[in-house]
Amino acid sequence: MSTSAGVEVQKRLEVLIRDFRTSDPPMPVAVLHAEDGADDDRVIDLVEELHRGQDAHGTRCAVAPAQQEGATEVRRAAALVRDLADPRRWDGQRSVYRRYAFPRLRLVQAIEDAVGELGADWPQPASTSAGRPDPALRLLDQLAKQRWRPKDTRRWNPGPAQLDMAHILPASLVAGLAALLARSHWSVALASGVGFLLLLLLLDNVLPGRAPIFLWLRRESRWFMTTTFLRAASRGRPTDVSLLRPIGSWKAIAARAYDVAEALQEGDDFQLQLYVLALFEDLRDNHRRWSWDLRGLKRHRPPMLFLPHVGVDNGGVELIKAVSDVRSRRSELDPLLIVAAVPGSELHRLQRTVIQEPGGTLWIWYQEWARNLRAGQSPSRELAELPWVLKVPLPSTRLGPLADGQLPCVRADSRPTTARVVWSVHALTMVLLLIAAGIWARADNLQDAYCSASVLTANRDTVRKPGPDERTECIGVATGDVRFATWLPNNGTSSAEDDTAWSVPWLEDRIASRNREVLAKYRDTYVTVIYAGPLSYDPDKGTSPVKGIEELAGVYLAQAVINDTYPVKLRVLVANGGVDLHHQQDMADTIAAYAADDPTVVGVVGTGRDLKSSEKTTETLQDAGLPVVSGTNSATHLPRKFANWFSLAAPDEWQAKQLGLLAAQLSEPGEKQHALVLARDTSKSDDLYTDEQAKYGQRMLKRQGFSTLRQRRYLLAGGKPELRVHTERICQSSQVPSVIYFAGRAEDIGPLMAQLGTEPGCAQRNISILTGDDLSKAKFTQGKDGVAPKVTLYHAALAELEKAASSTTFYKDAKEHLLDQEDAQPTHETGVFSSGQTALNHDATRALYWAATRGSDPQSRAATWVNLRTVKLSGMATGTIDFTGAPLYGDRSGHSVALKQVRSSADGTPRTRLICSRVAGDAKPLTPRECTINSPS
């Protein structure tokens, strides 16, 4: 500062700024005037110098011009305040944080502009009968044209009102959040978000007054409706706004706008005071400490308005009066600090202000002014009309240049606040980037981990697991919109050579349709059964979807029959354990987790392969309280270890004993005969069925007196068995076996027959092959799987279907629910039913349902587990399902079984003959007499 008076004033200003950093001191209107009228220009220079200094210190400053347009002094003062609504007027060289916003001031300005556009004759008498429009509607129409903004506003998005970003951005935020939180495919989320946005824009143009759809939620609207300054102008019209009543809120805003417009047209002190009030409220909001962006903690210097030229030409005196009047009427402090230079010719207009005695310092004057402020606002006090004005006389001796010629600088501490560092645009950008990266990483992890996932959520009932050839398998329980078919080759449709009439999507769609009907009509009278099976497959590795499809068809058939017949309905959920059930432990984990939240789940049907993970899988389901009824799993060890295990398939050990009846007939007394167990190598797989078959087959051959050779294990290459080396060594040795127990899978029998039929040492020998129930899947009756000319194949079948066919409605029901009407009536020999997998899983589902609905009421899963040991059902596809004699941790009797012989006919076509069998429920032991291997003919 170049003068001692300037130094003194600057010091006081910086003290106020220092106090403003931590508190809200009252801000006066500092009126500087010269004691000698000849020094008025020096006072003007002093105020301009203060402005330059504060601008350099980072204070947001505005300077009033010397002249202002307007018909009266009051209107010129109002125009001066109106110009302060431009945020650029407050920009400085070193202003911190972002620009000011003046939404309240702009709203008042928009209403005044609308009145000006309507003309001097507004408001005209409201006479709709005479065809003249209602003035209130005319005002709203004009405001709608202006988009409720000042007329001369130039924004970066000019164009139709429908494309106004002030309308679109709030609507986009709501629509974006709705789409973001929607757990659906991205296309569905995008479509829903765009649709919701279009709906909001439509409403934006049809609602009353055509106001912006979120106008009633804006901060300026809340102030506009709640300030007591305008309350008296309501004239009994509605003034309440509510979050739940948007239309009523719009009507209240429209009524208030009309009343204010009428008052603004008069152009009296109300107009000026309303502008000043809006300015104060906007500045107060711009320095609100605990706002969402902590802007008040970042703007630690109060805004300053400098009036170097106060006179009639710019309405400065009226502005000072209005500021004092408005501050006296309102209860809140505002941050605006005004410094004015008043010439001596205008002082008489401010004579009713608290006048300071000459000779005191500015600090003493401020302290006295602050003490008298409260009493000075009292209307009964004489000479107290302008209590907020601090009048500072400046003598000529203090307006001259400093003696030493230096320009001292006084500045309060300006260190950055914590809020500016921690809660800044840069910090926010960093946080947003981190959040975006976190959301992206989470979304990516969810997409990688679960079959159905959106940005923030996922369906955790199904998980993604690596499958063969880097493919991804969907494992778990299909709930919501998850369908396993979408994750399978060819959409889960088997190839023509698989010879099955169904597909995974066909069955999933029908089960889902039945489930929707159950949930819609029978919410309190249904039970849920989960089918757990191998729905995934890999055609490149030679695996087929037939097993899973046929098992699932049996479960669906049981559901269709039950829901058409019984009052308690059956809901079926489908669970996938991956290719050959290699992910069945993961499947069991998801089943247990889902069952923990759904008490209607009473048990599991399926798990039809005996794997090394079967014990852990069954233990997981047992811990979840879920009984398991398997149709095709022939494991011997599972019923001996787990009380929740029930199976319709004959155990491997018992099957091997029955095959021993045939092996006994193949041995020749007095001759040394060699036998061999040929099994698939399971060292790199989870297959336990093969090991069980090999173990029990070896025991059986020894028991029947054969000289057993060293067991041989063949490998798989690309899904195909490597049998050539083994057949060469077997057939070229001096101990060619007459009996081979084949502990392998049905898909490996064809290559074995081809090798035995061409290898010289075996091609001319009569060789018998014994094998387990996996050969039930082979379609010998259609000639699909060949048999070498000199080889006779004996295998156990999963079930006896022929004897049970006459006493069951299974095939009639299958014709109705599983086949087209033009198809012939199926029988037990029909290809899709001949393996018995459909029949066994149908019977398993019926047995589990029966235990879950004892007394025609839905039972808990614990009761279902107990009730299973009381189940005895006749007329099933495989006979009578009887669990009444099943011991805990032991082998039950009464399994369905069939022993079959397959030979090659003269023309090379394989012919299958049933040797002997038992339907389910018949515990009578098979005998050598009825199981003779010689044809009756």
Side-chain angles (χ1 to χ4, degrees), residues 654 658 893-895 897 917-919 921-927 930:
W654 187 81
Q658 311 313 306
S893 58
H895 295 285
V897 70
S917 62
R918 289 284 186 271
V919 296
D922 186 355
K924 182 180 178 182
L926 293 173
T927 63
E930 62 181 316

Side-chain angles (χ1 to χ4, degrees), residues 673-711:
Q673 290 180 275
H674 298 285
L676 172 71
V677 172
L678 179 61
R680 180 186 282 191
D681 190 330
T682 60
S683 59
K684 297 182 180 180
S685 73
D686 197 29
D687 185 13
L688 189 58
Y689 168 83
T690 295
D691 293 339
E692 293 277 290
Q693 284 282 322
K695 179 176 68 174
Y696 297 125
Q698 188 89 4
R699 290 182 186 177
M700 181 270 293
L701 292 175
K702 288 183 177 180
R703 191 180 305 114
Q704 298 302 327
F706 288 92
S707 176
T708 56
L709 302 175
R710 182 178 62 87
Q711 188 178 120

Side-chain angles (χ1 to χ4, degrees), residues 745-769:
R745 294 291 181 175
E747 55 267 25
D748 300 341
I749 194 67
L752 175 62
M753 290 294 181
Q755 294 289 335
L756 293 177
T758 57
E759 191 62 38
C762 296
Q764 303 303 319
R765 288 177 177 269
N766 291 321
I767 297 177
S768 298
I769 296 180

